[in-house]
């Protein structure tokens, strides 16, 4: 597992490319030795899990918005624009955030941009710890940048050190994950939120936040929130719906892309669409749950040698869940008073 909250770990993450395994027939697969087949299966699983990123319409819109703001902020001294990616757990927020950063940095490298030269850091990624104070959040930035933190350093000292480092490294994109930990009901979190604003004004980078239900944290409320709300555009990562024809088509496109990423030898392209309704009912349209479900099913198909997704398993799982939900709903419940009496 690559630790991406340090510059070394982030660089390794950006450098690592998982190639799609070469297509293979079932006969060729069976002819392999046990060890070779295990390695091949590991490569397929690795590619599906870490190498194949599915670009949804939501992601494409978010990426375009990030690119636009990076370009505009390069010429702004104050009032920089930012973005917030909000949503419930399981919507792929962190995956989208780090892919945005990875794609940006690789694009800068491919074009030999000045910010991608040795010693530069086009992208910085920080995860907000729980119960976060301004100084603790500064420590996270210093940790990523590899800055020494002395016990006698004040918050102001840390802010100066981090801001100066971001400017020297020509950082264009500052990714702040788990921003829901900055619940403004707590004073220390208010101070941390103010610190992010100060840091944004003192370095040239575009700040992008991601977190769970960010709208409910108070980050966008009051005088502070009003300023953030005017400068930060909120994108909501929501589950896929199947109400309209267009939404059904998007769900189908997602299934086809994930089916292809599994690299199963006997999987007929498009056959997953027969389970589109079932898979939506099982996952609620959440991309994270869908990926987990399909990747586990693919591992099972590799292990038993069938090399194809067993749609009947999904249908049985759905029936089992629906039956369990019905039984739970029909089960009589005792009142608290009667429970105490017994």
């Amino acid at each position: 597992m690559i630790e991406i909250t340090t510059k070394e770990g982030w660089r390794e993450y950006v450098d690592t490319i998982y190639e799609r395994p070469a297509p293979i027939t079932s006969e060729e697969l069976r002819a392999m030795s046990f060890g070779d087949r295990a390695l091949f299966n590991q490569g397929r699983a690795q590619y599906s899990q870490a190498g194949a990123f599915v670009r949804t319409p939501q992601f494409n819109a978010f990426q375009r918005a990030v690119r636009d703001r990076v370009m505009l902020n390069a010429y702004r001294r104050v009032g920089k624009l930012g973005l917030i990616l909000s949503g419930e757990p399981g919507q792929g927020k962190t995956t989208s955030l780090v892919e945005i950063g990875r794609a940006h940095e690789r694009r800068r490298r491919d074009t030999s941009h000045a910010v991608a030269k040795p010693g530069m850091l086009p992208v910085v990624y920080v995860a907000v710890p729980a119960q976060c104070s301004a100084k603790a959040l500064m420590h996270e930035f210093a940790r990523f940048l590899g800055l020494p933190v002395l016990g006698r350093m004040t918050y102001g000292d840390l802010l100066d050190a981090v801001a100066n480092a971001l400017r020297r490294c020509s950082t264009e994109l500052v990714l702040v994950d788990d921003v829901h930990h900055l619940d403004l009901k707590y004073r220390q979190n208010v101070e941390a939120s103010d610190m992010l604003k100060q840091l944004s004004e003192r370095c040239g980078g575009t700040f992008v936040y991601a977190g769970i239900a960010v709208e409910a944290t108070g980050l966008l409320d009051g005088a502070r929130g009003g300023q953030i709300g005017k400068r930060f555009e909120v994108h909501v990562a929501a589950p896929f719906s199947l109400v309209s024809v267009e939404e059904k088509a998007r769900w189908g496109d997602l299934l086809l892309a994930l089916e292809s990423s599994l690299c199963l030898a006997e999987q007929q392209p498009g056959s997953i669409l027969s389970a589109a309704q079932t898979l939506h009912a099982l996952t609620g349209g959440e991309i994270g749950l869908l990926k987990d479900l399909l990747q586990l099913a693919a591992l099972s198909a590799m292990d038993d040698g069938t090399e194809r997704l067993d749609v009947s398993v999904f249908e049985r799982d759905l029936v089992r869940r629906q039956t369990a939900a019905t039984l739970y709903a029909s089960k009589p419940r005792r009142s608290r008073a009667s429970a105490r009496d017994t």
Side-chain angles (χ1 to χ4, degrees):
M1 183 67 177
I2 299 174
E3 173 59 70
I4 61 174
T5 53
T6 65
K7 66 178 186 295
E8 295 82 10
W10 177 262
R11 188 173 294 115
E12 182 183 355
Y13 168 72
V14 175
D15 288 343
T16 303
I17 298 176
Y18 298 99
E19 298 289 349
R20 183 185 180 93
I24 193 171
T25 66
S26 295
E27 291 75 16
E28 292 171 326
L29 192 58
R30 284 192 291 270
M32 287 183 177
S33 67
F34 177 82
D36 287 344
R37 189 162 60 249
L39 286 174
F40 185 73
N41 289 346
Q42 181 180 348
R44 289 192 289 177
Q46 193 174 54
Y47 173 77
S48 173
Q49 178 67 30
F53 181 81
V54 178
R55 303 173 64 88
T56 66
Q58 288 180 352
F59 175 82
N60 288 333
F62 186 57
Q63 186 176 46
R64 285 194 299 271
V66 171
R67 288 181 181 178
D68 291 345
R69 280 153 182 79
V70 169
M71 183 176 295
L72 289 175
N73 287 340
Y75 307 102
R76 288 191 176 213
R77 296 292 182 185
V78 295
K80 293 184 178 68
L81 304 177
L83 285 160
I84 297 173
L85 183 59
S86 179
E88 294 303 317
Q91 305 306 325
K93 296 181 298 300
T94 295
T95 302
S96 295
L97 189 67
V98 297
E99 178 60 25
I100 287 285
R102 181 178 182 274
H104 177 80
E105 184 157 339
R106 292 196 67 86
R107 188 165 58 249
R108 289 306 197 211
R109 293 182 187 183
D110 292 343
T111 57
S112 300
H113 197 283
V115 301
K117 291 180 179 178
M120 299 294 102
L121 289 172
V123 179
V124 165
Y125 173 85
V126 170
V128 178
Q131 300 299 316
C132 181
S133 66
K135 192 170 184 179
L137 188 50
M138 277 287 92
H139 275 268
E140 292 301 312
F141 275 95
R143 177 170 176 263
F144 182 96
L145 295 165
L147 299 176
V149 178
L150 305 177
R152 64 177 180 274
M153 292 181 74
T154 65
Y155 160 73
D157 295 333
L158 281 169
L159 180 60
D160 287 342
V162 170
N164 290 335
L166 293 176
R167 286 197 302 271
R168 286 196 307 271
C169 296
S170 300
T171 300
E172 293 184 304
L173 203 51
V174 181
L175 309 177
V176 185
D177 205 358
D178 295 334
V179 76
H180 54 272
H181 286 153
L182 294 179
D183 191 325
L184 300 194
K185 293 194 298 287
Y186 304 100
R187 179 175 176 79
Q188 63 181 11
N189 293 349
V190 172
E191 294 169 350
S193 174
D194 288 345
M195 181 278 295
L196 286 174
K197 179 180 179 298
Q198 294 173 44
L199 189 60
S200 171
E201 297 297 347
R202 293 181 58 177
C203 72
T206 295
F207 279 62
V208 182
Y209 301 156
I212 299 171
V214 178
E215 304 91 328
T217 64
L219 192 66
L220 304 176
D221 300 334
R224 289 183 177 87
Q227 194 174 43
I228 294 174
K230 290 176 182 177
R231 296 178 181 173
F232 280 69
E233 182 176 274
V234 178
H235 286 236
V236 178
F240 282 75
S241 175
L242 294 183
V243 176
S244 68
V245 173
E246 183 180 6
E247 289 170 339
K248 291 177 181 177
R250 289 176 179 173
W251 180 249
D253 289 342
L254 175 63
L255 293 180
L256 291 173
L258 290 174
E259 178 189 52
S260 175
S261 73
L262 300 175
C263 306
L264 294 173
E266 291 295 327
Q267 181 72 19
Q268 293 298 312
S271 60
I272 195 174
L273 295 178
S274 65
Q277 292 278 355
T278 301
L279 289 170
H280 191 274
L282 281 171
T283 63
E286 294 186 12
I287 189 170
L289 290 178
L290 177 65
K291 287 181 67 177
D292 291 343
L293 184 67
L294 293 180
Q295 286 165 354
L296 288 170
L299 288 177
S300 177
M302 293 176 197
D303 288 339
D304 62 24
T306 57
E307 289 292 323
R308 69 169 67 90
L309 296 176
D310 188 349
V311 174
S312 65
V313 171
F314 302 141
E315 294 169 348
R316 288 196 297 271
D317 284 347
L318 180 59
V319 170
R320 184 162 53 248
R321 292 189 190 184
Q322 291 173 335
T323 302
T326 301
L327 290 175
Y328 179 79
S330 62
K331 185 177 180 180
R333 291 175 176 76
R334 295 180 298 173
S335 67
R336 292 184 178 179
S338 62
R340 284 195 300 268
D341 292 341
T342 57

